[in-house]
Amino acid sequence: MKITALPYGKLNDGREVTCYTLEQGQIKVEILNYGGIVRALYLPDKHGKVADVVLGQVDLPGYIENKGYLGCAVGRNSNRISGASFNLFDQKVNLEANDGANNLHSGPLGLSNRLFAAEVHTFNNLPALLLSHTIEDGSDGFPGNLIVTIAYALTEDNALMIDYRAVSDKNTVINLTNHSYFNLAGHDSGNIYGHTLELDAPFYTPGSGECVPTGEILKVKDTPFDFFTAPKPIGRDIHSALTQVSQYGGYDHNFVLKGVGYRKVATLTEPESGRVMKVHTDLPGVQIYTGNHFDGEIPHKDGVKYPKHAGICLETQFFPNTPNTPWFPSVFFAAGEDYTFTTTYQFSW
């Protein structure tokens, strides 16, 4: 694998952003040290035709605003926390409310808006891009200086590995993920209705009108959320009249993954191109989001105007609103306790 670097512009304060390109075999991925953003991911199809299979913004200003969090690293807490507050060991923590009354993806000072230090290094015997950053104590209301390191590497079995490590000097919440939108037919190919999804998740957590889990854990069987019994085209039930789907205009739900430890949890297939993506993780949940906010009006990467449902996110994570839902797997980490999780996106064609 080889890693190269090129300038990608400057932030408003003059700091320079770099785009790192990782190449291994027939796969090439571009990653920004701003927001840890996966800017592009090039794969061949079954005929050898190469396409970029992740959605993206036009340029750096687009990524600075980045409605929809396209491609970025998210933390220190991904997804929503209701009421922008929670109790941490009997002490109330008040957060920045940036999604109505709730906190979404940590707030305006989260990792998606940070410039990381970058280093090309060896990780698990692989050449890797290591991005590191310290989130300050009190940032967006969260306690603790949090040291975050994210390693990106391409493996010999055609996988993009993302390894997350973090530690805080105070008791805090940690829940990191990546927010890439995949369209295996190519980012400029329209909607993802023809993609088939298999998900090793027999349960899901239904949400309120504000997209916050109600606290219930329900079976997916005999519902539009059943990607567990058998693989299913994403478009089959995406327009369901069931309130849980219609209130969001598609899927925007956390699924409860079967098993523990590092294991395969999902398979996404695009039949026309023959491209397949298998997701492995050691996290307990995955948020499936189908790009419900796209409207076909705003130009994105390569001038493409993404229609509704132009891509799918598979955000491996702890469950949303876990700090306020004590029966969900805990995201509370004590001072000095290591947060260490890995997700890989493995491709074939």
Side-chain angles (χ1 to χ4, degrees), residues 8 32 34 37 39 56-57 59-66 70:
Y8 193 73
L32 305 183
Y34 176 78
I37 290 165
R39 198 202 77 83
Q57 302 288 2
D59 51 18
L60 182 57
Y63 282 117
I64 292 172
E65 184 169 348
N66 207 8
L70 275 68

Side-chain angles (χ1 to χ4, degrees), residues 152-215:
Y152 301 81
L154 293 175
T155 68
E156 293 183 353
D157 58 352
N158 299 322
L160 171 62
M161 181 200 73
I162 307 178
D163 183 89
Y164 304 92
R165 308 215 168 179
V167 64
S168 172
D169 60 1
K170 290 183 179 179
N171 299 334
T172 195
V173 164
I174 314 175
N175 187 13
L176 310 180
T177 194
N178 176 269
H179 210 289
S180 289
Y181 293 73
F182 295 94
N183 186 322
L184 296 182
H187 83 98
D188 55 354
S189 62
N191 65 55
I192 50 161
Y193 297 157
H195 286 57
T196 297
L197 178 64
E198 181 180 15
L199 198 58
D200 203 9
F203 302 93
Y204 79 106
T205 55
S208 68
E210 296 180 330
C211 207
V212 176
T214 63

